[in-house]
Structures are given as structure tokens and as C-alpha cells.
């Protein structure tokens, strides 16, 4: 069984998850024949080059950070080029209270997959957001202290601040192992 992994991570959360998944699969005997980091602004040629490398493996694992409810264009382009592949998708996003939210994001992201590719499984978890985001929410609340939505956003910033946790990493690794190896 061979795997490849391509990861698009802006601030490191998804990269952290990718390391946990890779270690768990390697420990289970999976060989990685291609691993790459994809930047948000990767051009078409770079993305196609990574897709070609990734497609040499039996299963392709693609990591993405959630950008405005979906993935970045570079991940969308990559997914559209994974012809005939089994693909495991994993991602991190700022909100994480319920699985239906994750499902919506995965539906949007996986709609970019090549028509002849198969979604072998997916896993998502919450990922911390930077201090600038917190400052923005605090400034918004200062203007409108009773705004329930702004309060929720700030509460969520605190809820996210320690994610991905060890438990998140273990869950994501277990989901990847199940999708790739069936155990
Ligand atoms: C520009 C921008 C847009 C974002 N959009 C969303 C979003 O729509 N939904 C969400 O839950 N999180 C959103 N987030 C939060 C990130 O998806 C989250 O912090 C993620 O873990 C970042 O992953 P990374 O550290 O691998 O880059 C956004 C963050 C940024 C910077």
C-alpha cells in the first residue's frame, strides 16, 4: 500500500494534523512515495506537478485549511486533477461544535474532485485562529457589547485556541487509518 500527501496549511494547524496522520500510517506499514506542501497561491503548473507526483500512489491524502467555508483555489485545482484515485480529505477550520458543519465544508471541498476519483473518507477538526482575529472580535464587541453574534465569535475563538488537541490528532489519524487500511 502506498500513499501520497499534499497539504495546504496557512498557519500550521493542518500541517500538525498531517504529521500525526503520516506517522500513524507509517507505523502501520504504509509507504509514502510523495509528500508536499502546497501554498495558497500555488500556480497551475505547480499544482499539476504535485498532482502528478501524488497520483503515483494508491491513495492520496489531501490536507486543507478552511477558507471561507471551502478550500483555497490551489486545493480545488489539485483535487480536480486526481483522476482515478482514492482520496482521503482532512482539514481544520475555526468552528467545530458540530459534525454537520464539517460535513458541509467537506461536501463543498470534495465537489472539486475529479469525476473518476473516489472519496475514501474524511476527517476534520477545529483549529486555532490568530490573535488578530481575537482583537477584531473584541473591537466589534466594544462597539456593540450586546451583540450576541459577536459574543459567540469571541467565545468560539477561545474554544478553538487549543486545537488541534492530542485527541483531535488521534481521531484524525484513526479516521485516516480506517479509510486507507480498513482498520
Ligand atoms: C481568511 C480566513 C478565512 C477563514 N474562513 C473560515 C471559515 O469560513 N470557516 C471556519 O470555520 N474557519 C475559517 N477560518 C479559520 C481557519 O480555517 C482555521 O484557523 C484553520 O485551522 C487554519 O488552518 P491552518 O493553520 O492549517 O492554516 C478562516 C481563517 C482565515 C485566515
Amino acid at each position: 500500500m502506498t500513499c501520497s500527501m499534499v497539504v495546504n496549511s496557512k498557519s500550521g494547524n493542518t500541517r500538525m494534523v498531517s504529521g500525526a496522520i503520516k506517522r500513524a500510517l507509517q507505523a502501520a506499514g504504509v509507504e509514502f512515495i510523495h509528500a508536499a506542501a502546497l501554498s495558497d497561491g500555488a500556480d497551475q503548473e505547480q499544482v499539476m506537478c504535485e498532482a502528478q507526483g501524488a497520483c503515483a500512489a494508491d491513495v492520496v491524502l489531501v490536507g486543507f485549511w478552511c477558507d471561507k467555508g471551502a478550500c483555497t483555489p490551489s486545493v480545488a485545482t489539485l483535487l480536480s486533477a486526481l483522476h482515478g484515485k482514492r482520496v482521503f480529505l482532512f482539514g481544520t477550520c475555526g468552528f467545530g461544535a458540530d459534525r454537520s458543519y464539517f460535513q458541509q465544508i467537506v461536501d463543498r471541498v470534495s465537489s472539486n474532485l475529479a469525476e473518476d476519483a473516489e472519496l475514501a473518507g474524511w476527517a476534520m477538526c477545529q483549529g486555532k485562529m490568530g490573535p488578530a482575529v481575537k482583537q477584531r472580535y473584541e473591537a466589534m464587541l466594544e462597539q456593540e457589547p450586546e451583540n450576541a453574534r459577536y459574543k459567540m465569535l469571541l467565545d468560539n475563538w477561545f474554544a478553538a485556541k487549543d486545537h488541534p488537541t492530542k485527541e483531535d490528532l488521534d481521531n484524525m489519524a484513526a479516521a485516516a487509518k480506517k479509510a486507507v487500511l480498513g482498520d
Side-chain angles (χ1 to χ4, degrees):
M1 168 68 66
T2 60
C3 279
S4 56
M5 186 180 260
V6 183
V7 184
N8 174 219
S9 177
K10 195 179 181 71
S11 61
N13 295 327
T14 316
R15 197 176 321 118
M16 194 189 289
V17 173
S18 72
I21 290 177
K22 195 171 174 199
R23 281 191 297 277
L25 287 174
Q26 281 175 326
V30 170
E31 185 194 354
F32 277 81
I33 59 170
H34 182 85
L38 199 65
S39 65
D40 292 349
D43 65 29
Q44 179 89 1
E45 201 180 323
Q46 287 171 311
V47 177
M48 286 306 157
C49 183
E50 296 307 347
Q52 199 180 11
C55 281
D58 300 316
V59 182
V60 184
L61 296 96
V62 179
F64 67 94
W65 68 276
C66 175
D67 182 12
K68 296 178 221 69
C71 58
T72 59
S74 57
V75 169
T77 306
L78 176 86
L79 293 174
S80 71
L82 300 180
H83 292 288
K85 289 287 125 186
R86 294 185 71 220
V87 177
F88 180 79
L89 270 180
F90 62 96
T92 66
C93 61
F95 292 87
D98 76 289
R99 194 170 161 84
S100 65
Y101 180 70
F102 292 160
Q103 181 76 60
Q104 276 177 37
I105 296 169
V106 168
D107 286 348
R108 239 171 264 133
V109 173
S110 61
S111 70
N112 295 292
L113 271 171
E115 271 179 25
D116 54 353
E118 178 201 343
L119 183 64
W122 63 268
M124 286 202 69
C125 73
Q126 202 167 15
K128 66 185 99 47
M129 290 161 283
V133 175
K134 176 169 164 259
Q135 282 158 17
R136 193 166 76 239
Y137 295 157
E138 284 170 342
M140 283 152 59
L141 261 180
E142 217 171 281
Q143 296 296 313
E144 288 184 49
E146 297 309 317
N147 188 309
R149 184 177 143 72
Y150 296 170
K151 278 187 199 162
M152 179 278 286
L153 289 172
L154 188 59
D155 286 348
N156 182 68
W157 188 93
F158 281 103
K161 81 176 175 41
D162 297 320
H163 290 268
T165 61
K166 166 87 172 67
E167 193 186 353
D168 292 329
L169 299 180
D170 289 347
N171 288 341
M172 305 275 276
K177 266 178 80 175
K178 190 168 176 215
V180 172
L181 299 169
D183 48 53

